[in-house]
């Protein structure tokens, strides 16, 4: 039918497209701090054993990528290895576990690429898999993933290899490259609703019973594709969505089922056909895919990118009927394939990649953890306060932004300790319905004479490893007089001024970090017999189980 021909015309010329091949990410020169926080790793190279003595070179991927390497020699009967003069402060030990040598590394280094120098200390280990006995030479290098304990306690997450990368058949391209099941194609030239409130958005049929559950106009596609070389299955589904803008009723050419980035399996399909009436018809299905292989793990750590393409004829049973409105312009086309399909492959690309590029974090700059260490900053905006005769606060409102939080509004709440100028307050209400374990500590004091605010606040970062919650606690003094455009009442007891939406930045002069969330007191349910916090603002001490000191971090 003409309607079916028009519906499929956008799916023609499937051979005119080629799958995009992503390039391996490359870290730029420098960026010592970024690298050390993202991939605090080492590379062991030129590993060999002569007369029982093992030797190798060690390169720190954070402090000295591609530069000078430390040399180590590990003698029989001695766990700690001897390092060259330039190896200090790196240390290496060798132990034997299940007949294989295990190299353990500890290292300390400093990054000075930012305005402040940052100290790093990390440790890690790896197993030597391609050299055994008293005399051997390893044909491969080894990656030693690191765990930081300075300036923060963290093991940054590294990517995992894609599925099937170590399959024995990973690099093969065959006549049985892909298996396809469940191929279905549908097309609705009009949305399946008799009476619209808003066309293609809200249906009035059955007294709005079908308001949002109608079938949208457009094309629908479903199929399951398995790459037999790596036994990897991808489900491809295209469904028009009314929420998207612009509305997309037709299947893109080609249609990307998954992937697109480096280290991801990327699969694209294109379906084309030219039926003229209801019945079984021949279509063409084209598949393009990118995947990754480690072809010779014993002799090389360089992964290989594989790209292949293939097509096959598909016999589909199609039914063409009039849709729910019964009009000539409302045509419903439903097509299904007969059984499973086999699609042969042809190699499009076979690219050798840098060593360990599948298992090392790609370039990253900044982020919550980085900002909390390198340049912790509080941003203050639009404060307003009123004081009592004894210099305590009767009202206090100020906007606060910082690393990974904001806008956060501070207002006068329960005082924790002290009177007058020594009063310390909690920042926000404990009666706002937020569970206590979701709250982060925040305390402040204010000197109405000097117009300075002391602030201590906790914020959370987990951008380097979602499973590791780092709780940073920052404190410092904020001088409101840096903004001279403030207004005070005639008695001087109420003052306020306006700042732009970003506010005024203040350095956080003292920062600590913990792996444990120090919960605030639960004022809504109980009060401890002894104060959880005590003393004046400068000696209030939280009950942190882990404190780690660093550069500007104490």
């Amino acid at each position: 039918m003409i309607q079916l021909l028009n519906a499929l015309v956008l799916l023609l010329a499937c051979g005119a497209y080629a799958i995009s091949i992503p390039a391996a990410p490359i870290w730029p020169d420098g960026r010592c701090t970024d690298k050390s926080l993202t991939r605090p790793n080492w590379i062991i190279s030129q590993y060999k054993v002569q007369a029982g003595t093992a030797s190798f070179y060690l390169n720190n991927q954070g402090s000295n990528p591609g530069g000078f390497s430390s040399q180590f020699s590990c003698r029989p009967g001695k766990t700690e290895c001897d390092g060259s003069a330039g190896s200090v402060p790196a240390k290496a030990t060798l132990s034997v576990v299940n007949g294989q040598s295990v190299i353990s590394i500890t290292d300390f280094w400093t990054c000075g690429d930012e305005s402040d120098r940052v100290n790093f200390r990390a440790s890690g280990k790896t197993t030597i898999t391609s050299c055994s006995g008293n005399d051997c030479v390893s044909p491969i290098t080894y990656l030693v993933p690191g765990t930081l304990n300075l300036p923060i306690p963290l093991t940054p997450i590294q990517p995992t290899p894609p599925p099937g990368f170590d399959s024995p058949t990973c690099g093969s391209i065959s006549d049985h490259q892909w298996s396809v099941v469940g191929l279905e194609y549908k097309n609705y030239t009009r949305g399946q609703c008799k009476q619209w409130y808003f066309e293609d958005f809200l249906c009035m049929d059955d007294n709005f019973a079908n308001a949002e559950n109608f079938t949208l106009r457009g094309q629908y596609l479903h199929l399951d594709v398995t790459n037999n070389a790596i036994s990897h299955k991808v489900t491809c589904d295209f469904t028009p969505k009314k929420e998207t803008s612009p509305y997309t009723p037709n299947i893109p050419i080609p249609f990307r089922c998954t992937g697109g980035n480096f280290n991801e399996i990327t699969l694209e399909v294109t379906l084309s056909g030219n039926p003229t009436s209801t019945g079984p018809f021949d279509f063409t299905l084209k598949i393009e895919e990118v995947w990754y292989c480690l072809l010779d793990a014993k002799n090389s750590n360089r992964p290989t990118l594989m790209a292949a393409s293939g097509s096959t004829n598909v016999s589909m049973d199609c039914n063409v009927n009039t849709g729910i409105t019964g009009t000539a312009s409302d045509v419903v086309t439903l097509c299904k394939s007969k059984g499973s399909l086999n699609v042969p492959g042809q190699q499009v690309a076979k690219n050798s990649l840098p060593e360990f590029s599948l298992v090392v974090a790609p370039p990253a700059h900044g982020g919550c953890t980085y900002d909390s260490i390198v340049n912790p900053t509080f941003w203050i905006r639009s404060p307003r306060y009123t004081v009592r005769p004894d210099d305590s606060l009767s009202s206090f409102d100020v906007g606060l932004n910082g690393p990974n939080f904001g806008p956060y509004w501070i207002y006068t709440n329960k005082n924790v300790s002290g009177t007058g100028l020594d009063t310390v307050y909690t920042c926000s209400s404990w009666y706002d319905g937020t569970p206590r374990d979701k709250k982060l500590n925040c305390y402040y004091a204010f000197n109405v004479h000097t117009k300075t605010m002391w602030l201590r606040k906790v914020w959370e970062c987990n951008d380097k490893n979602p499973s590791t919650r780092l709780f940073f606690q920052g404190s410092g003094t904020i001088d409101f007089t840096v903004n001279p455009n403030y207004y005070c009442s005639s008695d001087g007891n109420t003052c306020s001024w306006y700042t732009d939406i970003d506010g005024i930045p203040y350095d956080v002069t003292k920062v600590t970090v913990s792996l444990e969330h120090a919960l605030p007191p639960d004022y809504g349910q109980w009060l401890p017999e002894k104060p959880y916090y005590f003393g004046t603002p400068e000696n209030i001490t939280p009950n942190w189980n882990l404190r780690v000191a660093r550069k500007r971090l104490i």
Side-chain angles (χ1 to χ4, degrees):
M1 296 178 67
I2 297 298
Q3 291 89 345
L4 182 58
L5 175 60
N6 291 337
L8 292 178
V9 69
L10 293 178
L11 299 178
L12 296 175
C14 65
Y17 294 87
I19 193 168
S20 57
I21 298 177
I26 299 175
W27 277 87
D29 291 336
R31 297 268 187 94
C32 176
T33 303
D34 274 322
K35 293 175 181 177
S36 300
L37 287 172
T38 305
R39 49 159 209 180
N41 306 327
W42 303 266
I43 298 293
I44 289 177
S45 60
Q46 300 183 44
Y47 182 90
K48 63 181 180 180
V49 181
Q50 290 182 316
T53 297
S55 61
F56 58 89
Y57 287 87
L58 183 71
N59 184 281
N60 185 311
Q61 294 297 284
S63 67
N64 191 30
F68 177 78
S69 296
S70 305
Q71 186 176 9
F72 287 90
S73 176
C74 311
R75 304 182 186 282
K78 185 179 179 182
T79 301
E80 186 170 342
C81 304
D82 298 322
S84 59
S87 66
V88 179
K91 294 182 179 180
T93 62
L94 185 150
S95 58
V96 178
V97 179
N98 297 326
Q100 291 183 309
S101 296
V102 176
I103 303 293
S104 298
I105 303 296
T106 60
D107 201 358
F108 175 87
W109 67 98
T110 300
C111 288
D113 56 315
E114 299 298 333
S115 57
D116 291 310
R117 296 172 67 85
V118 182
N119 294 328
F120 291 90
R121 185 169 60 233
S123 59
K125 62 183 179 180
T126 192
T127 301
I128 305 300
T129 58
S130 294
C131 184
S132 60
N134 289 328
D135 291 281
C136 63
V137 177
S138 176
I140 62 174
T141 57
Y142 299 88
L143 177 70
V144 186
T147 294
L148 291 168
N149 51 47
L150 272 182
I152 51 176
L154 174 69
T155 303
I157 192 168
Q158 307 296 302
T160 57
F165 83 106
D166 55 355
S167 170
T169 59
C170 183
S172 64
I173 307 295
S174 70
D175 292 338
H176 301 278
Q177 193 66 42
W178 295 282
S179 298
V180 178
V181 296
L183 175 60
E184 295 184 7
Y185 168 82
K186 302 176 183 179
N187 183 65
Y188 299 85
T189 59
R190 294 187 61 183
Q192 296 304 288
C193 174
K194 295 178 181 179
Q195 187 176 6
W196 293 106
Y197 189 80
F198 293 116
E199 187 169 2
D200 291 329
F201 190 80
L202 198 61
C203 179
M204 298 171 59
D205 290 359
D206 300 326
N207 195 25
F208 287 99
N210 197 35
E212 296 183 355
N213 196 31
F214 58 89
T215 302
L216 284 164
R217 67 179 173 88
Q219 300 174 338
Y220 297 72
L221 180 66
H222 172 84
L223 66 158
D224 292 322
V225 182
T226 299
N227 185 332
N228 294 315
I230 54 176
S231 300
H232 182 255
K233 178 181 176 181
V234 174
T235 296
C236 300
D237 276 303
F238 177 81
T239 301
K241 293 179 175 60
K242 62 183 179 182
E243 295 83 4
T244 57
S245 180
Y247 181 73
T248 306
N250 296 318
I251 305 168
I253 305 174
F255 172 51
R256 175 166 290 172
C257 303
T258 188
N261 297 318
F262 182 80
N263 197 34
E264 294 178 340
I265 293 178
T266 301
L267 180 71
E268 295 178 350
V269 298
T270 307
L271 182 69
S272 61
N274 188 20
T276 55
S277 62
T278 300
F281 296 102
D282 286 336
F283 292 75
T284 299
L285 174 66
K286 181 178 181 180
I287 297 176
E288 299 174 283
E289 189 167 22
V290 170
W291 68 97
Y292 300 88
C293 302
L294 191 59
L295 297 179
D296 187 6
K298 282 290 185 181
N299 296 295
S300 175
N301 278 317
R302 297 180 67 90
T304 299
L305 179 148
M306 303 292 300
S309 175
S311 60
T312 190
N313 292 330
V314 183
S315 179
M316 301 182 73
D317 288 327
C318 297
N319 292 313
V320 182
N321 302 292
T322 302
I324 193 172
T325 65
T327 61
S329 62
D330 185 4
V331 179
V332 176
T333 304
L334 306 175
C335 299
K336 285 188 176 183
S337 66
K338 300 177 180 179
S340 61
L341 305 170
N342 174 66
V343 182
Q346 290 185 334
Q347 184 173 296
V348 174
K350 187 175 182 179
N351 301 337
S352 181
L353 302 171
E355 287 186 323
F356 309 113
S357 54
L358 298 180
V359 293
V360 173
H365 178 60
C368 177
T369 301
Y370 177 95
D371 292 340
S372 301
I373 294 172
V374 173
N375 187 31
T377 305
F378 288 144
W379 294 77
I380 299 292
R381 61 187 176 102
S382 302
R384 176 184 174 86
Y385 62 87
T386 302
V387 299
R388 298 187 179 97
D390 67 351
D391 290 335
S392 64
L393 294 172
S394 61
S395 70
F396 188 83
D397 298 272
V398 64
L400 175 66
N401 288 57
N404 203 38
F405 70 86
Y408 180 90
W409 287 97
I410 298 174
Y411 48 91
T412 303
N413 206 277
K414 189 177 184 69
N415 64 310
V416 180
S417 66
T419 59
L421 291 177
D422 292 329
T423 305
V424 178
Y425 304 90
T426 61
C427 293
S428 58
S429 174
W430 306 110
Y431 307 99
D432 60 3
T434 304
R436 177 171 171 247
D437 62 355
K438 301 298 182 183
K439 292 181 181 293
L440 298 172
N441 282 344
C442 182
Y443 298 89
Y444 71 95
F446 188 69
N447 187 316
V448 298
H449 301 300
T450 62
K451 295 181 175 59
T452 55
M453 173 187 180
W454 171 86
L455 175 66
R456 169 172 282 166
K457 184 171 185 341
V458 174
W459 64 91
E460 179 183 347
C461 296
N462 66 349
D463 54 316
K464 296 301 180 181
N465 188 335
S467 63
T468 300
R469 302 175 68 189
L470 293 173
F471 296 96
F472 290 89
Q473 180 176 245
S475 63
T477 300
I478 296 167
D479 184 358
F480 283 0
T481 63
V482 298
N483 184 346
N485 301 315
Y486 60 87
Y487 168 80
C488 295
S489 61
S490 58
D491 59 10
N493 291 334
T494 300
C495 296
S496 64
W497 59 90
Y498 174 77
T499 59
D500 61 25
I501 194 169
D502 291 330
I504 299 175
Y506 295 87
D507 284 343
V508 183
T509 54
K510 180 179 180 180
V511 180
T512 58
V513 64
S514 173
L515 289 172
E516 182 174 337
H517 182 185
L519 294 176
D522 191 342
Y523 292 112
Q525 298 181 20
W526 59 271
L527 283 173
E529 294 182 0
K530 296 182 179 180
Y532 188 81
Y533 283 77
F534 55 89
T536 61
E538 287 308 318
N539 65 21
I540 289 180
T541 304
N543 184 23
W544 296 63
N545 288 345
L546 173 63
R547 295 176 68 94
V548 183
R550 18 285 48 160
K551 73 156 231 185
R552 202 199 244 193
L553 314 172
I554 302 178

